[in-house]
Amino acid sequence: MEEIVNRVAKSPLVTIDLEEYYPEGSRMVFDLKNFLYEELILKEKDFRESLKNHDWTQYQDAYVAMHCSTDAIIPSWAFLLVATYLQPYAKKIVKGNLLDLETSVYQEIIQNMDISQYEGKKIIVKGCSRKPVPDAAYIQLIEKIQPHIQSLMYGEACSTVPLLKKKN
């Protein structure tokens, strides 16, 4: 009987799993509509008072996406004012939805990645994550590593889609 050999483990392929970089912490949405008159009109004095009396500690160490879910016209300074209240508590604040938040989080992670270990290697970018890794993060990763790698595939080691193979 022949010995079973794990060819995937012995292959020169290197897997990058962006899910491993996912930072822990709650994701929260701050909806400005809750601070508007009839959820549509920003009355500056009332808006400022509502923000002043809001419990900001609930955002401690959270990643926060702030937006307005109604069709209200919100001046830019309103988002900036909210950010000044969130800043002492939140890990990260973005204007937008949760996808915008995750994209921004991963943008920072990928910018700070040390890619020297991937120089000249055959790379598999792992897909199928259980955590919310946005498509934009995969594109940002490829943009960063492509000039330095030999080949690029997407998926799992047992089932990959070839994306790039450089000629020697």
PDB file of all heavy atoms in Angstrom, residues 47-76:
ATOM      1  N   PHE A  47     -29.993  69.468  17.021  1.00  0.00           N
ATOM      2  CA  PHE A  47     -29.029  68.445  16.615  1.00  0.00           C
ATOM      3  C   PHE A  47     -27.839  68.424  17.576  1.00  0.00           C
ATOM      4  O   PHE A  47     -27.464  67.377  18.103  1.00  0.00           O
ATOM      5  CB  PHE A  47     -28.572  68.722  15.181  1.00  0.00           C
ATOM      6  CG  PHE A  47     -27.605  67.724  14.623  1.00  0.00           C
ATOM      7  CD1 PHE A  47     -28.021  66.442  14.290  1.00  0.00           C
ATOM      8  CD2 PHE A  47     -26.275  68.065  14.397  1.00  0.00           C
ATOM      9  CE1 PHE A  47     -27.135  65.516  13.751  1.00  0.00           C
ATOM     10  CE2 PHE A  47     -25.382  67.148  13.862  1.00  0.00           C
ATOM     11  CZ  PHE A  47     -25.808  65.869  13.544  1.00  0.00           C
ATOM     12  N   ARG A  48     -27.281  69.582  17.821  1.00  0.00           N
ATOM     13  CA  ARG A  48     -26.141  69.684  18.736  1.00  0.00           C
ATOM     14  C   ARG A  48     -26.519  69.215  20.147  1.00  0.00           C
ATOM     15  O   ARG A  48     -25.751  68.506  20.789  1.00  0.00           O
ATOM     16  CB  ARG A  48     -25.612  71.118  18.777  1.00  0.00           C
ATOM     17  CG  ARG A  48     -24.848  71.528  17.540  1.00  0.00           C
ATOM     18  CD  ARG A  48     -24.362  72.981  17.653  1.00  0.00           C
ATOM     19  NE  ARG A  48     -23.635  73.389  16.487  1.00  0.00           N
ATOM     20  CZ  ARG A  48     -22.322  73.183  16.296  1.00  0.00           C
ATOM     21  NH1 ARG A  48     -21.616  72.581  17.213  1.00  0.00           N
ATOM     22  NH2 ARG A  48     -21.744  73.598  15.195  1.00  0.00           N
ATOM     23  N   GLU A  49     -27.690  69.588  20.593  1.00  0.00           N
ATOM     24  CA  GLU A  49     -28.136  69.195  21.936  1.00  0.00           C
ATOM     25  C   GLU A  49     -28.320  67.681  22.024  1.00  0.00           C
ATOM     26  O   GLU A  49     -27.924  67.050  23.003  1.00  0.00           O
ATOM     27  CB  GLU A  49     -29.434  69.927  22.290  1.00  0.00           C
ATOM     28  CG  GLU A  49     -29.852  69.781  23.730  1.00  0.00           C
ATOM     29  CD  GLU A  49     -28.877  70.389  24.734  1.00  0.00           C
ATOM     30  OE1 GLU A  49     -28.178  71.369  24.399  1.00  0.00           O
ATOM     31  OE2 GLU A  49     -28.816  69.866  25.868  1.00  0.00           O
ATOM     32  N   SER A  50     -28.911  67.088  21.005  1.00  0.00           N
ATOM     33  CA  SER A  50     -29.098  65.633  20.980  1.00  0.00           C
ATOM     34  C   SER A  50     -27.769  64.896  21.015  1.00  0.00           C
ATOM     35  O   SER A  50     -27.618  63.893  21.716  1.00  0.00           O
ATOM     36  CB  SER A  50     -29.874  65.212  19.736  1.00  0.00           C
ATOM     37  OG  SER A  50     -31.173  65.716  19.758  1.00  0.00           O
ATOM     38  N   LEU A  51     -26.809  65.384  20.236  1.00  0.00           N
ATOM     39  CA  LEU A  51     -25.487  64.757  20.229  1.00  0.00           C
ATOM     40  C   LEU A  51     -24.824  64.887  21.596  1.00  0.00           C
ATOM     41  O   LEU A  51     -24.194  63.945  22.088  1.00  0.00           O
ATOM     42  CB  LEU A  51     -24.597  65.378  19.148  1.00  0.00           C
ATOM     43  CG  LEU A  51     -25.008  65.127  17.698  1.00  0.00           C
ATOM     44  CD1 LEU A  51     -24.061  65.861  16.752  1.00  0.00           C
ATOM     45  CD2 LEU A  51     -25.059  63.653  17.376  1.00  0.00           C
ATOM     46  N   LYS A  52     -24.957  66.050  22.192  1.00  0.00           N
ATOM     47  CA  LYS A  52     -24.352  66.302  23.496  1.00  0.00           C
ATOM     48  C   LYS A  52     -24.897  65.348  24.561  1.00  0.00           C
ATOM     49  O   LYS A  52     -24.163  64.889  25.434  1.00  0.00           O
ATOM     50  CB  LYS A  52     -24.611  67.755  23.897  1.00  0.00           C
ATOM     51  CG  LYS A  52     -23.818  68.229  25.085  1.00  0.00           C
ATOM     52  CD  LYS A  52     -23.932  69.733  25.195  1.00  0.00           C
ATOM     53  CE  LYS A  52     -24.597  70.056  26.512  1.00  0.00           C
ATOM     54  NZ  LYS A  52     -24.812  71.482  26.716  1.00  0.00           N
ATOM     55  N   ASN A  53     -26.172  65.004  24.461  1.00  0.00           N
ATOM     56  CA  ASN A  53     -26.821  64.158  25.459  1.00  0.00           C
ATOM     57  C   ASN A  53     -26.797  62.664  25.125  1.00  0.00           C
ATOM     58  O   ASN A  53     -27.303  61.852  25.892  1.00  0.00           O
ATOM     59  CB  ASN A  53     -28.276  64.612  25.655  1.00  0.00           C
ATOM     60  CG  ASN A  53     -28.345  66.008  26.229  1.00  0.00           C
ATOM     61  OD1 ASN A  53     -27.539  66.381  27.075  1.00  0.00           O
ATOM     62  ND2 ASN A  53     -29.298  66.794  25.745  1.00  0.00           N
ATOM     63  N   HIS A  54     -26.227  62.313  23.996  1.00  0.00           N
ATOM     64  CA  HIS A  54     -26.175  60.917  23.557  1.00  0.00           C
ATOM     65  C   HIS A  54     -25.133  60.144  24.364  1.00  0.00           C
ATOM     66  O   HIS A  54     -24.106  60.684  24.755  1.00  0.00           O
ATOM     67  CB  HIS A  54     -25.833  60.885  22.056  1.00  0.00           C
ATOM     68  CG  HIS A  54     -25.865  59.532  21.452  1.00  0.00           C
ATOM     69  ND1 HIS A  54     -27.014  58.798  21.320  1.00  0.00           N
ATOM     70  CD2 HIS A  54     -24.875  58.759  20.932  1.00  0.00           C
ATOM     71  CE1 HIS A  54     -26.737  57.649  20.739  1.00  0.00           C
ATOM     72  NE2 HIS A  54     -25.445  57.605  20.497  1.00  0.00           N
ATOM     73  N   ASP A  55     -25.384  58.854  24.603  1.00  0.00           N
ATOM     74  CA  ASP A  55     -24.421  57.991  25.301  1.00  0.00           C
ATOM     75  C   ASP A  55     -23.389  57.467  24.299  1.00  0.00           C
ATOM     76  O   ASP A  55     -23.641  56.499  23.574  1.00  0.00           O
ATOM     77  CB  ASP A  55     -25.143  56.823  25.968  1.00  0.00           C
ATOM     78  CG  ASP A  55     -24.182  55.846  26.627  1.00  0.00           C
ATOM     79  OD1 ASP A  55     -23.012  56.217  26.882  1.00  0.00           O
ATOM     80  OD2 ASP A  55     -24.604  54.703  26.882  1.00  0.00           O
ATOM     81  N   TRP A  56     -22.241  58.087  24.263  1.00  0.00           N
ATOM     82  CA  TRP A  56     -21.193  57.744  23.307  1.00  0.00           C
ATOM     83  C   TRP A  56     -20.377  56.545  23.753  1.00  0.00           C
ATOM     84  O   TRP A  56     -19.663  55.951  22.946  1.00  0.00           O
ATOM     85  CB  TRP A  56     -20.296  58.957  23.048  1.00  0.00           C
ATOM     86  CG  TRP A  56     -21.076  60.067  22.423  1.00  0.00           C
ATOM     87  CD1 TRP A  56     -21.614  61.149  23.043  1.00  0.00           C
ATOM     88  CD2 TRP A  56     -21.466  60.160  21.049  1.00  0.00           C
ATOM     89  NE1 TRP A  56     -22.316  61.922  22.148  1.00  0.00           N
ATOM     90  CE2 TRP A  56     -22.229  61.335  20.910  1.00  0.00           C
ATOM     91  CE3 TRP A  56     -21.241  59.374  19.927  1.00  0.00           C
ATOM     92  CZ2 TRP A  56     -22.778  61.740  19.705  1.00  0.00           C
ATOM     93  CZ3 TRP A  56     -21.781  59.780  18.717  1.00  0.00           C
ATOM     94  CH2 TRP A  56     -22.536  60.951  18.614  1.00  0.00           C
ATOM     95  N   THR A  57     -20.471  56.155  25.017  1.00  0.00           N
ATOM     96  CA  THR A  57     -19.659  55.034  25.520  1.00  0.00           C
ATOM     97  C   THR A  57     -20.024  53.718  24.836  1.00  0.00           C
ATOM     98  O   THR A  57     -19.208  52.798  24.816  1.00  0.00           O
ATOM     99  CB  THR A  57     -19.808  54.885  27.050  1.00  0.00           C
ATOM    100  OG1 THR A  57     -21.183  54.648  27.370  1.00  0.00           O
ATOM    101  CG2 THR A  57     -19.303  56.132  27.768  1.00  0.00           C
ATOM    102  N   GLN A  58     -21.215  53.627  24.257  1.00  0.00           N
ATOM    103  CA  GLN A  58     -21.607  52.396  23.563  1.00  0.00           C
ATOM    104  C   GLN A  58     -20.735  52.102  22.340  1.00  0.00           C
ATOM    105  O   GLN A  58     -20.726  50.998  21.824  1.00  0.00           O
ATOM    106  CB  GLN A  58     -23.078  52.459  23.164  1.00  0.00           C
ATOM    107  CG  GLN A  58     -23.393  53.548  22.155  1.00  0.00           C
ATOM    108  CD  GLN A  58     -24.867  53.669  21.870  1.00  0.00           C
ATOM    109  OE1 GLN A  58     -25.494  52.697  21.428  1.00  0.00           O
ATOM    110  NE2 GLN A  58     -25.429  54.840  22.137  1.00  0.00           N
ATOM    111  N   TYR A  59     -19.984  53.097  21.891  1.00  0.00           N
ATOM    112  CA  TYR A  59     -19.119  52.931  20.717  1.00  0.00           C
ATOM    113  C   TYR A  59     -17.673  52.613  21.106  1.00  0.00           C
ATOM    114  O   TYR A  59     -16.790  52.605  20.248  1.00  0.00           O
ATOM    115  CB  TYR A  59     -19.164  54.197  19.848  1.00  0.00           C
ATOM    116  CG  TYR A  59     -20.572  54.538  19.420  1.00  0.00           C
ATOM    117  CD1 TYR A  59     -21.308  55.511  20.092  1.00  0.00           C
ATOM    118  CD2 TYR A  59     -21.180  53.863  18.374  1.00  0.00           C
ATOM    119  CE1 TYR A  59     -22.611  55.810  19.728  1.00  0.00           C
ATOM    120  CE2 TYR A  59     -22.481  54.148  18.001  1.00  0.00           C
ATOM    121  CZ  TYR A  59     -23.194  55.117  18.684  1.00  0.00           C
ATOM    122  OH  TYR A  59     -24.480  55.395  18.316  1.00  0.00           O
ATOM    123  N   GLN A  60     -17.451  52.349  22.381  1.00  0.00           N
ATOM    124  CA  GLN A  60     -16.102  52.067  22.867  1.00  0.00           C
ATOM    125  C   GLN A  60     -15.500  50.894  22.091  1.00  0.00           C
ATOM    126  O   GLN A  60     -16.076  49.814  22.025  1.00  0.00           O
ATOM    127  CB  GLN A  60     -16.136  51.734  24.368  1.00  0.00           C
ATOM    128  CG  GLN A  60     -14.766  51.562  24.997  1.00  0.00           C
ATOM    129  CD  GLN A  60     -13.979  52.860  25.032  1.00  0.00           C
ATOM    130  OE1 GLN A  60     -14.485  53.889  25.452  1.00  0.00           O
ATOM    131  NE2 GLN A  60     -12.745  52.812  24.570  1.00  0.00           N
ATOM    132  N   ASP A  61     -14.333  51.133  21.484  1.00  0.00           N
ATOM    133  CA  ASP A  61     -13.567  50.119  20.740  1.00  0.00           C
ATOM    134  C   ASP A  61     -14.334  49.509  19.566  1.00  0.00           C
ATOM    135  O   ASP A  61     -14.041  48.398  19.144  1.00  0.00           O
ATOM    136  CB  ASP A  61     -13.066  49.020  21.678  1.00  0.00           C
ATOM    137  CG  ASP A  61     -12.113  49.559  22.722  1.00  0.00           C
ATOM    138  OD1 ASP A  61     -11.335  50.482  22.404  1.00  0.00           O
ATOM    139  OD2 ASP A  61     -12.156  49.077  23.876  1.00  0.00           O
ATOM    140  N   ALA A  62     -15.318  50.223  19.049  1.00  0.00           N
ATOM    141  CA  ALA A  62     -16.093  49.729  17.913  1.00  0.00           C
ATOM    142  C   ALA A  62     -15.600  50.382  16.618  1.00  0.00           C
ATOM    143  O   ALA A  62     -14.945  51.417  16.633  1.00  0.00           O
ATOM    144  CB  ALA A  62     -17.570  50.047  18.119  1.00  0.00           C
ATOM    145  N   TYR A  63     -15.920  49.736  15.522  1.00  0.00           N
ATOM    146  CA  TYR A  63     -15.713  50.289  14.193  1.00  0.00           C
ATOM    147  C   TYR A  63     -17.069  50.865  13.791  1.00  0.00           C
ATOM    148  O   TYR A  63     -18.073  50.152  13.800  1.00  0.00           O
ATOM    149  CB  TYR A  63     -15.271  49.204  13.219  1.00  0.00           C
ATOM    150  CG  TYR A  63     -13.912  48.634  13.556  1.00  0.00           C
ATOM    151  CD1 TYR A  63     -13.763  47.601  14.475  1.00  0.00           C
ATOM    152  CD2 TYR A  63     -12.768  49.144  12.965  1.00  0.00           C
ATOM    153  CE1 TYR A  63     -12.517  47.085  14.783  1.00  0.00           C
ATOM    154  CE2 TYR A  63     -11.509  48.639  13.274  1.00  0.00           C
ATOM    155  CZ  TYR A  63     -11.398  47.609  14.183  1.00  0.00           C
ATOM    156  OH  TYR A  63     -10.163  47.105  14.489  1.00  0.00           O
ATOM    157  N   VAL A  64     -17.104  52.156  13.451  1.00  0.00           N
ATOM    158  CA  VAL A  64     -18.385  52.832  13.263  1.00  0.00           C
ATOM    159  C   VAL A  64     -18.511  53.400  11.848  1.00  0.00           C
ATOM    160  O   VAL A  64     -17.632  54.109  11.366  1.00  0.00           O
ATOM    161  CB  VAL A  64     -18.559  53.976  14.293  1.00  0.00           C
ATOM    162  CG1 VAL A  64     -19.905  54.662  14.110  1.00  0.00           C
ATOM    163  CG2 VAL A  64     -18.409  53.458  15.722  1.00  0.00           C
ATOM    164  N   ALA A  65     -19.641  53.054  11.222  1.00  0.00           N
ATOM    165  CA  ALA A  65     -20.018  53.638   9.933  1.00  0.00           C
ATOM    166  C   ALA A  65     -21.140  54.623  10.222  1.00  0.00           C
ATOM    167  O   ALA A  65     -22.146  54.268  10.833  1.00  0.00           O
ATOM    168  CB  ALA A  65     -20.511  52.546   8.989  1.00  0.00           C
ATOM    169  N   MET A  66     -20.945  55.871   9.817  1.00  0.00           N
ATOM    170  CA  MET A  66     -22.011  56.847  10.041  1.00  0.00           C
ATOM    171  C   MET A  66     -22.613  57.251   8.703  1.00  0.00           C
ATOM    172  O   MET A  66     -21.913  57.444   7.719  1.00  0.00           O
ATOM    173  CB  MET A  66     -21.509  58.053  10.836  1.00  0.00           C
ATOM    174  CG  MET A  66     -20.376  58.796  10.259  1.00  0.00           C
ATOM    175  SD  MET A  66     -20.008  60.219  11.301  1.00  0.00           S
ATOM    176  CE  MET A  66     -18.466  60.695  10.548  1.00  0.00           C
ATOM    177  N   HIS A  67     -23.945  57.320   8.711  1.00  0.00           N
ATOM    178  CA  HIS A  67     -24.678  57.694   7.502  1.00  0.00           C
ATOM    179  C   HIS A  67     -26.048  58.204   7.901  1.00  0.00           C
ATOM    180  O   HIS A  67     -26.393  58.237   9.082  1.00  0.00           O
ATOM    181  CB  HIS A  67     -24.782  56.499   6.542  1.00  0.00           C
ATOM    182  CG  HIS A  67     -25.806  55.499   6.964  1.00  0.00           C
ATOM    183  ND1 HIS A  67     -26.870  55.153   6.173  1.00  0.00           N
ATOM    184  CD2 HIS A  67     -25.950  54.781   8.100  1.00  0.00           C
ATOM    185  CE1 HIS A  67     -27.610  54.263   6.805  1.00  0.00           C
ATOM    186  NE2 HIS A  67     -27.073  54.021   7.972  1.00  0.00           N
ATOM    187  N   CYS A  68     -26.825  58.596   6.929  1.00  0.00           N
ATOM    188  CA  CYS A  68     -28.212  58.974   7.162  1.00  0.00           C
ATOM    189  C   CYS A  68     -29.069  58.107   6.247  1.00  0.00           C
ATOM    190  O   CYS A  68     -28.898  58.135   5.027  1.00  0.00           O
ATOM    191  CB  CYS A  68     -28.454  60.459   6.891  1.00  0.00           C
ATOM    192  SG  CYS A  68     -30.137  60.954   7.304  1.00  0.00           S
ATOM    193  N   SER A  69     -29.970  57.345   6.831  1.00  0.00           N
ATOM    194  CA  SER A  69     -30.760  56.391   6.052  1.00  0.00           C
ATOM    195  C   SER A  69     -32.019  57.002   5.432  1.00  0.00           C
ATOM    196  O   SER A  69     -32.771  56.301   4.763  1.00  0.00           O
ATOM    197  CB  SER A  69     -31.149  55.198   6.920  1.00  0.00           C
ATOM    198  OG  SER A  69     -31.939  55.624   8.012  1.00  0.00           O
ATOM    199  N   THR A  70     -32.229  58.298   5.654  1.00  0.00           N
ATOM    200  CA  THR A  70     -33.356  58.961   4.998  1.00  0.00           C
ATOM    201  C   THR A  70     -32.820  59.870   3.891  1.00  0.00           C
ATOM    202  O   THR A  70     -31.607  60.045   3.752  1.00  0.00           O
ATOM    203  CB  THR A  70     -34.178  59.802   6.002  1.00  0.00           C
ATOM    204  OG1 THR A  70     -33.362  60.854   6.522  1.00  0.00           O
ATOM    205  CG2 THR A  70     -34.707  58.938   7.131  1.00  0.00           C
ATOM    206  N   ASP A  71     -33.712  60.474   3.153  1.00  0.00           N
ATOM    207  CA  ASP A  71     -33.317  61.361   2.055  1.00  0.00           C
ATOM    208  C   ASP A  71     -33.053  62.787   2.521  1.00  0.00           C
ATOM    209  O   ASP A  71     -33.129  63.727   1.731  1.00  0.00           O
ATOM    210  CB  ASP A  71     -34.387  61.367   0.960  1.00  0.00           C
ATOM    211  CG  ASP A  71     -34.405  60.083   0.164  1.00  0.00           C
ATOM    212  OD1 ASP A  71     -33.357  59.417   0.092  1.00  0.00           O
ATOM    213  OD2 ASP A  71     -35.475  59.737  -0.389  1.00  0.00           O
ATOM    214  N   ALA A  72     -32.747  62.945   3.776  1.00  0.00           N
ATOM    215  CA  ALA A  72     -32.473  64.277   4.318  1.00  0.00           C
ATOM    216  C   ALA A  72     -31.201  64.847   3.692  1.00  0.00           C
ATOM    217  O   ALA A  72     -30.281  64.108   3.343  1.00  0.00           O
ATOM    218  CB  ALA A  72     -32.309  64.202   5.825  1.00  0.00           C
ATOM    219  N   ILE A  73     -31.180  66.142   3.556  1.00  0.00           N
ATOM    220  CA  ILE A  73     -29.970  66.822   3.085  1.00  0.00           C
ATOM    221  C   ILE A  73     -29.165  67.181   4.322  1.00  0.00           C
ATOM    222  O   ILE A  73     -29.602  67.986   5.145  1.00  0.00           O
ATOM    223  CB  ILE A  73     -30.322  68.069   2.250  1.00  0.00           C
ATOM    224  CG1 ILE A  73     -31.106  67.642   1.004  1.00  0.00           C
ATOM    225  CG2 ILE A  73     -29.060  68.835   1.885  1.00  0.00           C
ATOM    226  CD1 ILE A  73     -31.697  68.787   0.218  1.00  0.00           C
ATOM    227  N   ILE A  74     -28.012  66.549   4.434  1.00  0.00           N
ATOM    228  CA  ILE A  74     -27.168  66.721   5.619  1.00  0.00           C
ATOM    229  C   ILE A  74     -25.929  67.509   5.224  1.00  0.00           C
ATOM    230  O   ILE A  74     -25.177  67.077   4.339  1.00  0.00           O
ATOM    231  CB  ILE A  74     -26.731  65.355   6.193  1.00  0.00           C
ATOM    232  CG1 ILE A  74     -27.941  64.438   6.431  1.00  0.00           C
ATOM    233  CG2 ILE A  74     -25.910  65.528   7.457  1.00  0.00           C
ATOM    234  CD1 ILE A  74     -28.887  64.885   7.505  1.00  0.00           C
ATOM    235  N   PRO A  75     -25.673  68.625   5.881  1.00  0.00           N
ATOM    236  CA  PRO A  75     -24.442  69.367   5.579  1.00  0.00           C
ATOM    237  C   PRO A  75     -23.213  68.592   6.068  1.00  0.00           C
ATOM    238  O   PRO A  75     -23.288  67.836   7.041  1.00  0.00           O
ATOM    239  CB  PRO A  75     -24.616  70.684   6.351  1.00  0.00           C
ATOM    240  CG  PRO A  75     -25.611  70.391   7.420  1.00  0.00           C
ATOM    241  CD  PRO A  75     -26.484  69.282   6.916  1.00  0.00           C
ATOM    242  N   SER A  76     -22.104  68.783   5.406  1.00  0.00           N
ATOM    243  CA  SER A  76     -20.873  68.063   5.746  1.00  0.00           C
ATOM    244  C   SER A  76     -20.463  68.253   7.192  1.00  0.00           C
ATOM    245  O   SER A  76     -19.987  67.325   7.838  1.00  0.00           O
ATOM    246  CB  SER A  76     -19.734  68.509   4.826  1.00  0.00           C
ATOM    247  OG  SER A  76     -20.012  68.160   3.505  1.00  0.00           O
TER     248      SER A  76
END
